[in-house]
Each structure stands twice: as C-alpha cells, then as structure tokens.
Amino acid sequence: MLKPKNDLLQGTLALLVLKTLAREPMHGYGITLHIQMVSKDFLRVEEGSLYPALHRMEQEGWVSAEWRSTENNRRARYYRLTSTGRKQLAEEEKNWECLTEAVAQVLQFV
Amino acid sequence: MSLIARLRGMLRRERLDQELDEELRSHVEMRTVDNLAAGMSPEDAYFDAQKRFGNTTLLKEDTRAVDIIDWLDECARDFRYALRMLQRSPGFTAVAVLTLALGIGANTAIFSVVDAILLRPLPYPEPERLVRIWESSRKHDSPRNVVNPLNFLDWRDHSQSFESMAAISGSMTNLSSHGQPHAVQGMQVSPDFFSILRVPPLLGRTFTAEDGIAGHDQVVILSYELWQRQYGADPKIIGAKIDVDAVPYTVIGIMPRGFSFPKIKSEVWTPLPLARTEDWKHGRYLTVVARLKPGVSLGQAQQDMLRVANFTAQARPSYNKNWSANVFPMLEDATRGVRRPLWVLLASVGFLLLIACANVANLLLMRGTGRLRELAVRSALGAARSRIVRQLFVESLLLSLAGMAAGLLFAHLGLRSLLALIPQNAPLPRSESIAIDARVLLFTFLASLFTAVVFGLVPALRLSRVDLQNALKQGSLRGGVGGHQSLRRCFVVAEVALALLLSVGAGLMLRSFSRLISVDPGFSPAHLLTMHIWTSPARYHDDLKRSQYVEHILGEIRNTPGIQAAGSTHFLPLTEKISGSCFSPADQPAPSPAESPSAQFLIISSGYFQAMGTSIRIGRDFDDRDSFSSQPVAIVNHAFVQRFYSGQNVLAKQLRVCWTIEKPVEIVGVVADARQAQLQDAPEPTIFLSNSQAPMYFATLVVRATGDPRQIARSAEAAVHRVDPDQAVSDIQAMETVFSDSVSSPRFQAVLLLVFAGLAVALAMIGVYGIVSYSISQRTNEIGIRVALGARSADVLRLVLREALTLAAIALLLGLAGSLALSRVLQSLLFEVTPTDPITLASVCFVVLAVSAFAAVLPARRAMRIDPMAALRYE
C-alpha cells in the first residue's frame, strides 16, 4: 500500500509518528523536526511518506487532527493521539521489541 | 477501513483536497522560514522546502489513494481475478449460472405479474383515497352486494366521509356506424364518476350535474380505442350525434388512451339519471365508487356508512332490514380473489430461489474445498481474512449477475408462455399492464444481490475460517473440511424439504383441479354455441313486443340446417353471473321483502333445457301455451324443492315472486340441478321464469349443433339478422371455451406450481447427487478397505444409500411439518381437497424419496466399482 520512499523500515514510520505524538499534539512539520532532532539527524522523515501515513492513521482512528495556530501565529494542522492510537502504539512498541530482540539473538548466535 | 468511511471520504473529497493543500502549504512555509533562519537565500529556502516534497500533486494523489483509488483498484483486481477463476472452471460456472438463472428468472416473471396486479397503485391521482361501497347482508352471507338506487341516494346525501360518490350500472350497448350494428360494453354512470377518478378527457368534456337529469341525459363519452376503431380518430366527432341503442346521442368527450375502470370493461359512458321515484323497487343493481375526504381513514368511513345504513334500514325496514354497508379500498376490491393465489405463487418461486441458492452454495463449498491450498497460499503471502472473504464474495457476485442476465432472458420467454395461459375472455384484473419494466428490473437486481449474499457469504466466511496455515502444512487438506460436509448436508436437507413443500402445494392444486373439472355441470357443453344479444330499449320498449322478439329469433335459428336445438337464458352458466330475488308461497300472507326467503332467478326461453342437455324431472318445459297474457308459470330446480318443499309435490304450487311479474306464478316443472355462477359453487335453489312472460332486454342464446358449433356461428348470426338487421350479436363462443375459461384461474395456479415444483425437485436432486458423489470421493479408501475385507457391492450400496436416505428422511419430516404449518394458506384455494389430503402427502413423499434415492444411486454405482488396490494406493 504505502511504498517506502526512505531509509526507514516499512512500518517503523507509524511507530515513530505515534511515539512523537504521544508526547504532545504536533503538526506534520513539527513531527519531522522532532524525529530528526531526537535521532541526532540519523532518521530523516520524508514529507512524501509522512502525509500519506498521517492521513491513513487518521482514517484508522489512531490520530485526530484539528487546525490551530503555532507559536508564530501560523495556521497548522495539529495531530493528537487518540486512545485507539495509544493502544496501537503499545502494540507496535511491543512488536518492535520482539523484532529487535529476535534480530539480536540471531546476530549473537555463533 | 470500513466501506462507509471510504464513501464518506469520497464525498468529502473536495473539502479534503483544500485541507490537504493548506496543510502542505503551511508545512512548506514553516520549512522556508527555518531555512531562512539557517541563512539560505529566500529563493533557495523556498526551493529546498518544495524539493523535499518531490511532486506535490503526486503526494496529494498518494495521500488520497488511501481513500478511493486503492480501494477501487483492489476491487477491479478482485473482479479480474474472479473472472479468471470462473473461466478456468466452465462446467461449474455454467451449472451455477443456469441454476441461479432459473431461480431469478422465475422470480422476475412472477414478480412482474404480482407487481402489475397487486402492488402498482391504481392509475388515478391519489388512488389510496378511492373506495368501493357495497350493501352487505348477514342473512345471505354477502359482504359485497350491489346497491339499491334509493339507498345510494341516501348514502350520497347523508354520509360525511366522502368528497363525492358515484353509481355505476354496466351493460351492453348497441351502436351503429356505417349502417353496421355492433354491440360494445357500456357503462351508465352518475355525473360525478369522472371527477371522482380525477381523469380529464382527452377531447371535449366529461359529465356535469345537468347531464344526470332525466331528459338531459342524451350525451355520450367514447373511449380512445373505440374512437380510433369506429370513428377514424376524427376530432370533429365532438358535438356530432351517434345512435346509442337506436336513440341519437351527442358525443361530448373522448377519454384518454388506456382509461379503464377495474373489472368493469367499458367503451362508452352515458349518464345514469337517478331520482327518488318508484324505480327503486326494481332491486339492487348498482356498483358504487367514492373518494374519501382528505384525512378521513377507512375505519372512519366504515363507521359513517354503518350509521347511514342504519338510517336507510329504519326508513325502509321492509326492504332494508338486516342490510348494512361495507367500504373497501378500491385496489383491494379490484384484486379480490387473485391476491392469495398470486402471493402463494410468489412465495413458491421464492422457495425455488432459496433452493437454487442452497445448490450453488454447495457447489461453491465443494469447489472451495478444492481451492483450500490456493487460499492458504494467498493467506500465507499476507492476504487478510477480510480480503479472502471479499475475493470469494466477488466471485459469487459475478455468478449472480451472470445468473441475472440469463434469468431476465428466461423471464422474458417464461412470461410470454405464462400470459398465454390467461384466456382473453377471462383475464386477471389489471393484467394488461404486465411487463418487465424498470420496477421489475430493480426487483430482479435486488433479488440477485440478495441471492449473492445468501449463497456466497456463508461459504466465503466458512472457507476463510479454516486454519489455512495448518492446511498448507499438512499437505493433505482433508482435515479442515469436516465442518463443510455437515454444512453441505444442512443445505441439502433444506433443499429437499423446500422441494417437498412445493411439491405438496403443486400436488394439492393438481388434485383440486382434477376434482374441479370432473364436476358434472348439469348440462353438456359439447356441440354448444353461445351468443349474446342486447335489445335496444327504444325499439323494444313495449313488453309484449319484446316478449315475442327472442322467440322469433330462436324460431328462425331452429330452422337453420345443422342445428338441433336452441334456447336462451339471461345469464349464461359459468360466467360468474347470478341474479337473486325474494319469493313467498302464495297461499300464505306475504312477508316483507326483507323477511321473505330468496332464490336465484333465471329468465329463460322454451327449449333452453333441451339445448343445454339438462333433464326435466317432473312436469313440463315452457311452451307456446305460456304467452305474455296467459297464466304466469315457473320451473324450479331440484335444489329448490329440497330446500323449500322437501318430500312434497310442488307442481301447481303458486308463488309470489319479487320480480316484474305481479300475479302469482304456478310451478309447472322441476329440472335437474346445474352449476350456475362457477363450477365449484354447489347448485342453489333456483326459480326459472319464461322470457315470454317476464321479458328481459338481453339474452344469451344457446344453440346445439349437430357437429362443430363454430361451423354454425355464421348461419346462426344470419338467422338473427333475418329477424332484425340492426340487432348486434356479440360474444360468440363455444360453450366448451366458456367452460375452459371458467377454470382458467385454478388451471393457471396448478400449471405454474407444477412447473416450479418440478424445477425444485430437479435442483434438489442435483443437490443430493452432489453430496453423495462428494462423500464417496472422500471415502474412497475407506470403501477400498471394506471391499478388501470382503464387503460385497450390495453392502457398499447400502453404505452409500444410507447417508442419502437419512438426509432425505430428515428433509421429509421437515417438509411435512412445513406443509402442515402452511396448510391454512392453501385451504381457500382448494376445491374438495383438504390441505392435509393423505393421498397427496403420501404420493409426494414417495416421489421425493424415490427421486432422492435415484440421485444417490447414480454416484453409488461408481462406489461399487472401486478397485481396492487402486483405492488404497490413491492416498
């Protein structure tokens, strides 16, 4: 469905966005900045993937959106995590842990 | 994502587009500002911000694709895939489509009949406010009796629930154009008739109140069809004079094409002048139609009419005691008598469709089981269960749409042969508008969707629930299908039970029909020709002249070669026409008309019984002695003697009759009973009067030919014209045709039910065959082992048949229980057969069991030939 256009593993984008929104409601641009900043410029979210992903998450009911003003008095669409989204986040975090653990075990296997 | 969210997304697309534009613009702006702050040139800052998006339009498309495009794409893929799958198994597809086409076609054909007759509103504005009002008599058990003129006038003047009320009196009318006499069906109506129906004329005007006053009533309105046929569609006919029953009438209007009144055919309308004169004593003969005031309910109107009827009963107790009034919606009234048979037919084809569904569902399950591996692979490759269900369902949808296309073809052909079963002379009410039109197409489409859901969804859900991963791993796919087999057994049981239900219905109808046509009508229809004449009142107003007129005609006919006998009656048997009146013994004081006993009356000529082949038991027929001025005489039938003079000699008894004869009549003969209104009605006590003494304005001549009655039609008509060249003759037909038409409705039901039951049994047989052969293929190695261990072919046969017959037995019990539960529905449609008729039930059960056994034996023979070595290697 969503073709990966960046270095992120498919599916990870949603996890990162959900996690970011778990802190506070945020607009699309803010999300890219936050992920870039926290990952110390290692992860860069492509706009071309972000908006389709946000839109899809909104349709799924994981996030809700509303128009608000930024600190600089600019109108922007803010996304907020819903309770379904929170559950989804928990699940994706768990999946991620399982995956990394499994990968780690494979790597440690001598 | 649910379909609804997607659809909503589609509708909101416009707004979403704007929102998305705005969101992306705000993103670019924020990035540009940050870029500027980082020290880029304004141009670079904006360009960089833009570049990160790539192609903005593409991005927007991508974002939206989540909504619609993806979904449509997936659907198109599913359809292409389904089409490929169906092409790959043409045999399966053909059987499934054919089965569905039978079910859908039969439903379409019957629905088009039900829709045209029962469901479509009457062709007048605000038809739900139109009602018919009848007199009702508890004593005669007659809830719909024609109305007395004075009672009608009282109703019209004293009731409060109706905008207006009109009376109708139908009769034949003689017109002459280009010197040729011809009789057409006419209607005398009170002036409000057309304004109640709210149909304006095509040309000219309809009646005004003044036209309803005697002396001003020589105006006539013609039907479009008559105007086209006889008057060359000439608009100058308005204002011209034409001869109606030999009196010049002015043509004032032409009604639009197709205008008609339910159940009473008419091509000319003349005013019915009604006044409070002594004429009311002529009896009850009017049909009454009315339009309810807006907001008045049927119940309120009925209450109102009870009040008014109470008033008429008090005003003229001798005539109206024990009489009341009933109000019925016009549509219900017009379709009375065909409602139940049509609903029964629609329910039958509904059952047939269910059987077809069960059959196709079984086919799908059987094929689906073979496809488990394919489904397992798709599931392993990441297809969600909902995708697989959808995939399977799309296949069903395609099947049912193909079934619909073929079904419409079947319906078109079937409807033609079905309409051929309805005779021209005895049509179902409102049957002229039966056609496969947009409403019927919509019904067919919905029925097909429903069909797809019924036969497609259960197997789809069931198949997708199988643990596909497991199935794939096991290599053998047997493990997962045990549940399907029991589901398929349920389908087969349901099929056979429904087929039994339909066959019981058909069997009962058939038995009832054969009882009906073997009824002795009391006369012999063979070699009998009938023809109707209507004498113009203007020329034969004089009673004496009229009384001799029919005798002249009959004398002329009797002298024609090839004719054995001839006579006349005012109402021909088996045409649902009766007239009744009161009488009392002349040697007792006269009771009031309301309290007198009553009997059927028929006005006949001498020679009528001889022509009909009805025997005179005692006494004599009417003859030359019985003239207009001689002692009035009567003949009574056997039922009359049984009821009123049981064990007595009735000859020479004198009766006062409430007919046109003032003097008491003397009984001179007793005849055997004959059926009058319809074949199924037991003979009623009847008094026959002579047309020479109580002359009527109309008569049906019955002429017995030595050979084929159709051969003498010309010469008999010529004989009539020798007496009066202006006398129109109509409805010339053989009595055998009248007889056959009179049972056309039960024949129609019996034939259709028989066809449907035959189809149902055939489909159920395919179902049984399918399940038995499948179960044999599943048990090949079990049977192989048994054979290896010494089982003989009879044992194998028993093994296989046991399963099929157990299913059939369960189905029989269910089907019998169902037909007992539904027996009340059929009760009123059956003649001399009870709905639980043991012979019918037993023979139907036997047939269904035999057919099931036959369907099971075919594959069982394959099982008997199983080679144990091959079977064991097979695994």
Side-chain angles (χ1 to χ4, degrees):
Chain A
M1 283 176 95
L2 300 171
K3 297 182 189 79
K5 284 185 182 170
N6 58 356
D7 304 332
L8 289 173
L9 271 169
Q10 190 190 5
T12 342
L13 179 60
L15 171 62
L16 295 180
V17 171
L18 289 174
K19 187 72 187 172
T20 307
L21 292 180
R23 266 180 70 241
E24 56 174 341
M26 182 69 75
H27 48 72
Y29 179 56
I31 295 172
T32 60
L33 285 188
H34 177 82
I35 294 176
Q36 201 174 337
M37 189 187 76
V38 172
S39 69
K40 304 200 179 64
D41 270 356
F42 183 78
L43 294 173
R44 284 187 56 171
V45 178
E46 293 284 329
E47 280 84 346
S49 308
L50 176 68
Y51 282 98
L54 277 174
H55 195 74
R56 192 177 66 112
M57 287 193 264
E58 193 185 348
Q59 294 273 323
E60 297 281 2
W62 298 346
V63 299
S64 61
E66 58 173 340
W67 288 92
R68 268 202 263 159
S69 296
T70 65
E71 308 100 75
N72 303 330
N73 248 349
R74 198 177 287 285
R75 267 170 60 74
R77 204 153 184 257
Y78 275 76
Y79 292 88
R80 169 201 300 280
L81 205 59
T82 64
S83 54
T84 337
R86 227 167 270 286
K87 279 187 215 124
Q88 183 65 23
L89 174 59
E91 184 149 321
E92 298 219 353
E93 277 185 315
K94 208 180 85 202
N95 285 346
W96 177 254
E97 273 160 30
C98 292
L99 177 66
T100 48
E101 203 175 304
V103 172
Q105 274 170 355
V106 173
L107 293 180
Q108 280 159 17
F109 188 81
V110 191
Chain B
M1 217 180 298
S2 75
L3 178 63
I4 292 174
R6 276 175 213 275
L7 286 176
R8 209 183 290 142
M10 270 174 168
L11 295 175
R12 284 190 324 196
R13 181 172 175 159
E14 199 75 348
R15 201 166 61 78
L16 272 179
D17 247 7
Q18 280 175 11
E19 235 178 27
L20 190 59
D21 265 345
E22 206 175 327
E23 186 175 13
L24 297 185
R25 201 166 52 238
S26 111
H27 183 112
V28 169
E29 280 170 9
M30 285 192 276
R31 170 75 73 188
T32 313
V33 170
D34 283 0
N35 281 352
L36 281 172
M40 284 191 191
S41 73
E43 214 166 294
D44 287 348
Y46 178 72
F47 194 65
D48 173 69
Q50 276 284 347
K51 199 178 67 189
R52 284 166 183 265
F53 271 100
N55 183 338
T56 349
T57 328
L58 192 67
L59 171 61
K60 266 163 57 181
E61 286 292 317
D62 267 6
T63 314
R64 259 201 322 259
V66 179
D67 276 353
I68 313 148
I69 297 180
D70 250 23
W71 187 72
L72 287 180
D73 240 26
E74 279 171 25
C75 284
R77 258 202 312 277
D78 279 348
F79 266 96
R80 275 196 302 274
Y81 185 72
L83 213 54
R84 263 205 315 278
M85 289 309 291
L86 294 180
Q87 276 169 356
R88 205 180 295 166
S89 41
F92 160 80
T93 308
V95 171
V97 168
L98 202 68
T99 308
L100 290 172
L102 281 179
I104 293 173
N107 273 274
T108 303
I110 296 300
F111 179 78
S112 68
V113 175
V114 169
D115 184 49
I117 294 179
L118 298 186
L119 300 182
R120 223 171 299 170
L122 292 161
Y124 316 109
E126 295 183 59
E128 63 288 347
R129 280 167 52 201
L130 291 172
V131 292
R132 287 237 202 145
I133 314 174
W134 301 92
E135 289 204 51
S136 68
S137 154
R138 264 149 299 183
K139 188 173 139 204
H140 303 294
D141 187 27
S142 149
R144 294 169 208 255
N145 200 95
V146 274
V147 179
N148 172 266
L150 195 53
N151 285 348
F152 165 73
L153 291 174
D154 280 343
W155 288 1
R156 193 183 65 186
D157 297 344
H158 297 288
S159 65
Q160 292 161 355
S161 308
F162 308 97
E163 262 179 18
S164 48
M165 202 184 272
I168 301 164
S169 167
S171 65
M172 294 299 284
T173 303
N174 287 330
L175 296 180
S176 57
S177 60
H178 314 301
Q180 259 312 79
H182 52 98
V184 295
Q185 286 285 345
M187 227 188 218
Q188 278 187 293
V189 296
S190 46
D192 281 340
F193 176 74
F194 293 99
S195 58
I196 287 176
L197 297 183
R198 293 201 181 159
V199 180
L202 178 71
L203 287 177
R205 63 174 180 92
T206 53
F207 298 131
T208 59
E210 202 196 341
D211 297 325
I213 301 168
H216 298 263
D217 57 338
Q218 277 151 14
V219 287
V220 60
I221 296 172
L222 306 179
S223 79
Y224 181 87
E225 292 73 18
L226 182 69
W227 179 53
Q228 295 278 317
R229 198 173 64 232
Q230 294 290 345
Y231 302 99
D234 180 6
K236 285 201 284 275
I237 188 87
I238 302 289
K241 293 219 188 283
I242 62 170
D243 277 357
V244 177
D245 288 329
V247 175
Y249 272 57
T250 308
V251 178
I252 59 164
I254 308 290
M255 289 313 285
R257 173 186 231 143
F259 171 78
S260 67
F261 188 75
K263 286 190 121 170
I264 309 180
K265 265 199 196 159
S266 178
E267 298 205 288
V268 286
W269 293 272
T270 50
L272 176 68
L274 287 177
R276 293 177 184 273
T277 61
E278 285 297 297
D279 282 352
W280 68 270
K281 288 187 174 155
H282 288 174
R284 299 183 163 87
Y285 57 88
L286 296 174
T287 303
V288 175
V289 57
R291 185 176 277 275
L292 292 173
K293 280 182 184 162
V296 172
S297 74
L298 195 67
Q300 286 165 331
Q302 177 68 54
Q303 284 305 315
D304 189 25
M305 281 313 297
L306 288 180
R307 181 181 60 78
V308 178
N310 206 15
F311 167 81
T312 56
Q314 277 164 10
R316 292 177 293 281
S318 68
Y319 192 75
N320 286 330
K321 196 177 165 200
N322 287 326
W323 286 84
S324 186
N326 268 339
V327 185
F328 296 101
M330 191 149 124
L331 180 60
E332 183 196 311
D333 208 277
T335 56
R336 178 168 44 101
V338 295
R339 276 183 176 264
R340 185 173 289 245
L342 284 178
W343 286 126
V344 165
L345 283 179
L346 192 64
S348 312
V349 285
F351 286 155
L352 186 64
L353 187 59
L354 285 181
I355 295 176
C357 284
N359 233 344
V360 176
N362 258 350
L363 282 173
L364 281 174
L365 273 177
M366 184 153 60
R367 203 173 72 109
T369 316
R371 281 173 66 188
L372 275 183
R373 194 185 300 267
E374 168 214 334
L375 298 179
V377 170
R378 295 196 59 188
S379 160
L381 290 178
R385 181 177 173 210
S386 62
R387 278 302 306 272
I388 293 186
V389 171
R390 192 167 79 187
Q391 170 65 54
L392 292 171
F393 185 64
V394 164
E395 283 184 40
S396 310
L397 205 60
L398 270 184
L399 280 179
S400 100
L401 289 180
M404 177 177 95
L408 281 176
L409 192 71
F410 283 172
H412 178 72
L413 298 174
L415 195 58
R416 218 185 283 165
S417 19
L418 188 149
L419 290 181
L421 280 175
I422 305 175
Q424 290 286 313
N425 292 324
L428 296 172
R430 313 220 295 155
S431 59
E432 24 339 296
S433 58
I434 295 174
I436 297 177
D437 57 7
R439 278 168 68 105
V440 177
L441 286 179
L442 181 68
F443 166 85
T444 308
F445 180 67
L446 292 179
S448 311
L449 283 189
F450 165 81
T451 311
V453 171
V454 171
F455 76 76
L457 217 48
V458 173
L461 289 174
R462 198 60 189 252
L463 285 171
S464 66
R465 211 170 64 198
V466 173
D467 186 352
L468 296 170
Q469 302 279 350
N470 232 359
L472 196 58
K473 254 186 269 167
Q474 277 184 357
S476 154
L477 294 168
R478 296 270 167 78
V481 297
H484 301 162
Q485 189 66 354
S486 64
L487 184 62
R488 297 189 49 209
R489 286 200 186 99
C490 289
F491 280 140
V492 168
V493 166
E495 267 178 63
V496 177
L498 283 174
L500 182 89
L501 203 63
L502 278 185
S503 308
V504 167
L508 289 172
M509 285 293 185
L510 199 65
R511 238 172 106 69
S512 153
F513 182 67
S514 74
R515 281 281 172 89
L516 184 59
I517 55 173
S518 55
V519 162
D520 173 14
F523 56 86
S524 116
H527 300 298
L528 216 49
L529 183 76
T530 74
M531 51 176 70
H532 194 76
I533 58 171
W534 160 254
T535 51
S536 297
R539 299 174 64 145
Y540 296 97
H541 188 66
D542 179 46
D543 283 343
L544 176 63
K545 195 175 169 194
R546 197 167 68 244
S547 71
Q548 293 160 346
Y549 180 53
V550 173
E551 279 304 328
H552 277 162
I553 290 178
L554 289 173
E556 200 58 49
I557 290 177
R558 286 186 193 117
N559 286 334
T560 308
I563 289 171
Q564 274 187 348
S568 79
T569 172
H570 83 291
F571 282 149
L572 190 66
L574 309 188
T575 52
E576 294 189 38
K577 285 183 187 143
I578 48 167
S579 47
S581 192
C582 52
F583 72 92
S584 55
D587 52 6
Q588 292 163 21
S592 73
E595 278 166 348
S596 303
S598 64
Q600 290 191 1
F601 274 66
L602 278 176
I603 312 302
I604 59 167
S605 72
S606 64
Y608 171 72
F609 296 119
Q610 190 200 349
M612 292 298 278
T614 306
S615 65
I616 296 176
R617 297 229 175 137
I618 311 168
R620 64 169 178 94
D621 189 8
F622 297 134
D623 57 29
D624 297 344
R625 278 169 279 171
D626 311 311
S627 70
F628 191 64
S629 48
S630 66
Q631 159 68 37
V633 289
I635 296 172
V636 295
N637 69 354
H638 182 65
F640 182 91
V641 178
Q642 291 282 308
R643 173 86 61 85
F644 299 109
Y645 291 95
S646 186
Q648 301 175 44
N649 179 13
V650 291
L651 291 186
K653 285 251 185 321
Q654 304 253 329
L655 300 175
R656 264 189 301 264
V657 291
C658 322
W659 200 264
T660 49
I661 298 179
E662 305 283 335
K663 280 199 275 179
V665 298
E666 183 185 318
I667 298 175
V668 294
V670 177
V671 290
D673 289 335
R675 307 271 158 152
Q676 175 64 26
Q678 28 182 11
L679 213 44
Q680 54 263 51
D681 294 350
E684 290 283 323
T686 306
I687 298 174
F688 299 89
L689 299 179
S690 165
N691 191 60
S692 303
Q693 298 182 325
M696 300 289 288
Y697 280 100
F698 55 91
T700 297
L701 309 180
V702 291
V703 183
R704 180 163 296 280
T706 42
D708 181 358
R710 288 165 201 85
Q711 301 273 318
I712 55 152
R714 273 288 171 79
S715 50
E717 197 180 352
V720 175
H721 285 153
R722 280 201 294 280
V723 177
D724 181 350
D726 286 341
Q727 176 62 59
V729 179
S730 62
D731 296 319
I732 304 176
Q733 49 187 342
M735 191 66 207
E736 282 180 323
T737 313
V738 175
F739 184 94
S740 155
D741 286 357
S742 78
V743 293
S744 64
S745 187
R747 181 171 50 224
F748 180 74
Q749 292 158 36
V751 168
L752 285 184
L753 268 178
L754 206 63
V755 169
F756 298 150
L759 289 175
V761 169
L763 289 181
M765 189 172 148
I766 295 176
V768 172
Y769 175 86
I771 195 155
V772 171
S773 47
Y774 183 77
S775 131
I776 288 172
S777 71
Q778 292 290 301
R779 294 166 75 177
T780 302
N781 52 349
E782 177 204 328
I783 294 171
I785 293 171
R786 282 173 189 269
V787 173
L789 293 179
R792 285 159 303 153
S793 24
D795 301 324
V796 175
L797 188 63
R798 201 176 308 129
L799 184 76
V800 174
L801 281 186
R802 193 165 57 204
E803 183 191 7
L805 291 181
T806 313
L807 293 183
I810 297 172
L812 284 193
L813 288 180
L814 287 175
L816 282 179
S819 46
L820 288 185
L822 290 177
S823 61
R824 232 162 35 100
V825 178
L826 283 183
Q827 182 99 59
S828 64
L829 302 182
L830 297 175
F831 173 72
E832 287 185 358
V833 175
T834 61
T836 52
D837 179 45
I839 298 178
T840 309
L841 291 185
S843 39
V844 166
C845 284
F846 175 76
V847 168
V848 170
L849 260 184
V851 167
S852 307
F854 177 67
V857 163
L858 292 177
R861 285 176 43 191
R862 209 173 59 226
M864 281 152 59
R865 286 199 299 268
I866 287 175
D867 170 14
M869 290 313 290
L872 293 175
R873 239 181 275 129
Y874 172 74
E875 197 43 2

